[in-house]
Each structure stands twice: as structure tokens, then as C-alpha cells.
Amino acid sequence: MLTRPDKPAAINAADLFQTISHSAPKRIALAVSGGGDSSALMRLFADHWSGTLRRDMRDVLVITVDHGLRSAAANEALVVADWAGEIGMRHVIKRWVAPNGRLATQADARSARYGLIGQAALEFGAAHVLTGHTADDQRETIAMRAKRSRSKRGMAGIAPATLYNRQVWFERPFLVVERHDLRRWLKQGGWPWIDDPSNADTRFERVRTRLADFSSDAHLAETGQYAESRAALARDAAVFLDDGLHVVMEDGAVASATLGLGGATRDAETDALGSALAIGLALVGRREHLPTDDAVRDAFQTVMRSNGNAYTVAGCHVVMRDGRLEITREPRNDGAGIFAMDHLLPVWELPILEVVDRKRRFSPIPRPLALITA
């Protein structure tokens, strides 16, 4: 069972930001709400950017999102602006209001943050945004997902980096750091932070999970293994797609695709083939989320036994012809959606998107900081 340390670990900016070297892009953005995690991110990154890398602090943009849910939030955003200015960083406030004035779900807020922060970063000329997600956030995420399905994909937890709309990487250097260690570090430096009362609002599942007894968080110990397995599967699926996927493009999107079986039989769908088929379905069906493992498995087994009859799944028809799976869009699917990996791409799946982009003849996407070299 994973337990919390009694004493805080040493906070070392050089270790936390080791992927951000002298070869890093000229401009970088930080998502800072003013809470303890993001306030520590801003001050620790300032030490690294200016002190270690000798970079200009004006090349860092601090972005604060005001969700319009609390009257105090606007003033809190101005406080963060003052803190950023004292350090020498630029600052911008992005405001959002929940649709129809209703209580925003955390999913609503998450989607809004991606869009608003991503837009601000691009306007600043930055393709990389650092966030203050911690080991506690990872623990909470895993606990919530474990209640649902414990799928291998989900149990890998929060990715260390996620590409948003093919343009901006959201990168999380604090996933190995405990929240209370960051607050202890801020206290030692005499630096304040803002406590958001919504973090105690039990209407939100994450808050209820956060307030629960963490003695039940043994799943977190397995997260690293799930993440490694997810990355390895993505590499295998990328090889499968590179060899066996052929696409037909119409108006800049995949209209249909075929996928070779790569030696798989009707009784033995490989994990790599299953992942490749899920990608093919999401590509042709233009789905924002990949179909579930169960849906893909059922589709494969049915098609392999169907004697040439089509099977409908994820907005697509799948049929077996001449040793290949043919994937076409279901007539009632208008194809108005967006391919999952063009919207949000966990860094583990980067090899897959790179292969798919070559098939589509798309322009290269930016690389995450960990893969940028001099």
C-alpha cells in the first residue's frame, strides 16, 4: 500500500524541470490559478528559467482562468497577476461562464481550461503549457477510475503530457510531487497562495474522493506499470498501423480505411490489432473518444465469423474482404466530429498519431519538451 511520507521531499527545480533545457523553445506558458500547486509551479519555474537557463522572464506567460463561478475569483486572478508581475512574468486572465448559468461540472471546467489556456498560449507564441498537477491529483484520478472500470488505458492515470488540438502541449512536471510538500516549500519561502473554496465542495466527485481516506489508494502504486504498458502497446499498434493501414481521404478527412490483420486469426485478436482497429474506427467515424476494448473485441470476433456481412460499431461499418478489414462510415453518421487524437493526445500515444499523420499526409505536430533536443 502506498503511504504519504511524514517529511517533505526536497524540492529541486532542476530535477522537476530537467526536460526544459537550453534547447527549450523561446516561449513557455504556465497555467496558474493561484492555488498552492500552481503558485509553487510559478515560483519554482522562475528559478529554473531565469536562474539556471538565463532566459528572459518576459518570455514566460502566466495564464489564469476565471470560470465566473465565484465573485471572489476575479479579484483572485488579479492577485495572481500581481505575483507574476513581481517575478517579471507576463500575465493574462481568460474568463469563462458556464452555459445557461448552471453549475459547471468539473468536466465542463476542464474542457474550458484547455480551450482558453491553449488559445492564450498560441497567441503568445508558446506551444507548451506547464500545469501544477501533483501526485495527489494522480491519486484522485486513479481512485475515481478504479470505481468505474479499471481499464488498462484509464488506470495509466494522468499523462505527463497531453497535446491539445494538435497545437499545444500541456505538460505536468509535478506528477511525482506531493501537494503538501509544495505547500511546505511555499511556507518556508514566505510565499502565499489562494485556497479555492470549491475544492471543498462535495458536489464534485473529485472533491469527495479527495476528502476520502487515502489508505485505500493502493491502485496508485500500479499506475507506473499501466503507463509503461500503455506506451508499449501504442508502439506496437503504431507498427501495426504503419504496415497495415490504408486510408482514403476526402476533404481533408479520412473517408474510409482498410486494415490488414497481420497474422491474427478469428480466435486470436492481438492487443496491437485491437488498438489499431480502434484507431481506424475513430478515424473513419470521426469520434472524439476511442471505442471501448469490449466494443472493438466484439466487432472483431463478429466480423471474423460473419462470412462477409458488415458489422456496425462506433458509427462505422466493418466487413472482412480479401484478408483485410474494411471500415466505412455508417450512412447516418454525418462525420461532423473530430478524431480523438486530433483533440487530446496523451504523450504515450504519440507514435500512433505520427503514423496516422503520415497516412493522412498531415503536417508534423509539435514535439513535447521531453523529446526536444539541441
Side-chain angles (χ1 to χ4, degrees):
M1 179 174 64
L2 191 67
T3 58
R4 297 185 181 205
D6 294 330
K7 297 182 180 179
I11 303 294
N12 187 313
D15 290 339
L16 292 171
F17 303 114
Q18 57 183 312
T19 62
I20 305 172
S21 64
H22 291 281
S23 60
K26 179 181 179 181
R27 290 189 164 186
I28 284 180
L30 310 178
V32 180
S33 66
D37 304 338
S38 61
S39 295
L41 171 72
M42 180 173 64
R43 297 187 184 279
L44 282 162
F45 186 74
D47 290 345
H48 183 68
W49 187 257
S50 178
T52 302
L53 302 185
R54 305 295 181 185
R55 295 287 194 92
D56 188 343
M57 295 294 280
R58 300 291 290 171
D59 287 328
V60 180
L61 177 67
V62 174
I63 305 169
T64 303
V65 175
D66 173 8
H67 291 94
L69 301 177
R70 296 183 296 109
S71 58
N75 287 332
E76 291 169 359
L78 293 175
V79 170
V80 176
D82 288 341
W83 293 343
E86 291 169 0
I87 296 172
M89 295 176 175
R90 301 173 191 258
H91 183 269
V92 66
I93 299 170
K94 290 292 183 178
R95 292 184 172 86
W96 174 78
V97 178
N100 302 320
R102 63 178 171 79
L103 176 68
T105 66
Q106 294 214 333
D108 290 335
R110 175 175 174 266
S111 178
R113 282 195 297 273
Y114 269 122
L116 293 171
I117 293 172
Q119 175 191 356
L122 289 173
E123 290 171 352
F124 181 63
H128 305 272
V129 176
L130 304 187
T131 77
H133 291 86
T134 66
D136 298 77
D137 294 301
Q138 186 73 283
R139 180 182 292 107
E140 293 156 9
T141 297
I142 293 300
M144 290 188 293
R145 292 180 182 178
K147 291 179 182 178
R148 297 188 179 98
S149 67
R150 294 208 65 186
S151 70
K152 292 181 179 180
R153 289 177 59 83
M155 293 302 289
I158 303 171
T162 301
L163 182 63
Y164 174 71
N165 279 2
R166 301 179 57 83
Q167 295 176 298
V168 180
W169 282 100
F170 284 73
E171 310 193 41
R172 307 173 180 99
F174 285 0
L175 283 179
V176 296
V177 182
E178 295 287 340
R179 183 176 292 142
H180 76 281
D181 286 344
L182 292 174
R183 282 159 173 72
R184 182 78 62 90
W185 182 84
L186 285 169
K187 286 181 179 178
Q188 290 171 347
W191 292 305
W193 69 87
I194 300 166
D195 285 319
D196 183 347
S198 64
N199 287 330
D201 189 338
T202 55
R203 287 174 293 181
F204 297 124
E205 180 189 11
R206 182 172 291 275
V207 174
R208 295 194 299 272
T209 303
R210 182 176 299 151
L211 297 175
D213 182 1
F214 275 110
S215 63
S216 61
D217 65 359
H219 298 310
L220 185 60
E222 303 172 358
T223 300
Q225 297 175 355
Y226 279 113
E228 291 174 6
S229 296
R230 185 169 175 179
L233 178 57
R235 291 191 295 270
D236 291 343
V239 172
F240 213 111
L241 290 163
D242 202 19
D243 291 340
L245 179 68
H246 297 274
V247 301
V248 175
M249 304 292 293
E250 290 182 3
D251 299 324
V254 176
S256 62
T258 61
L259 181 65
L261 297 182
T265 68
R266 59 186 293 174
D267 297 316
E269 171 210 355
T270 67
D271 288 342
L273 172 57
S275 293
L277 178 54
I279 297 300
L281 291 168
L283 266 173
V284 176
R286 293 183 65 77
R287 292 301 176 95
E288 188 173 335
H289 301 285
L290 297 181
T292 65
D293 293 344
D294 288 343
V296 171
R297 187 176 303 109
D298 289 346
F300 177 80
Q301 292 176 351
T302 302
V303 168
M304 292 295 281
R305 292 172 168 81
S306 66
N307 297 318
N309 295 320
Y311 181 82
T312 302
V313 59
C316 297
H317 290 321
V318 185
V319 66
M320 180 72 175
R321 286 199 179 96
D322 299 325
R324 300 180 63 83
L325 296 173
E326 293 187 359
I327 307 170
T328 56
R329 192 172 299 138
E330 187 182 7
R332 61 182 176 179
N333 179 354
D334 62 9
I338 183 172
F339 169 52
M341 291 185 177
D342 286 338
H343 176 50
L344 290 176
L345 175 78
V347 68
W348 304 304
E349 266 85 51
L350 180 59
I352 291 176
L353 185 60
E354 289 177 330
V355 169
V356 170
D357 278 357
R358 287 199 299 272
K359 302 286 184 177
R360 297 185 291 181
R361 298 185 180 180
F362 279 14
S363 299
I365 56 177
R367 308 286 283 169
L369 288 169
L371 298 182
I372 295 176
T373 58

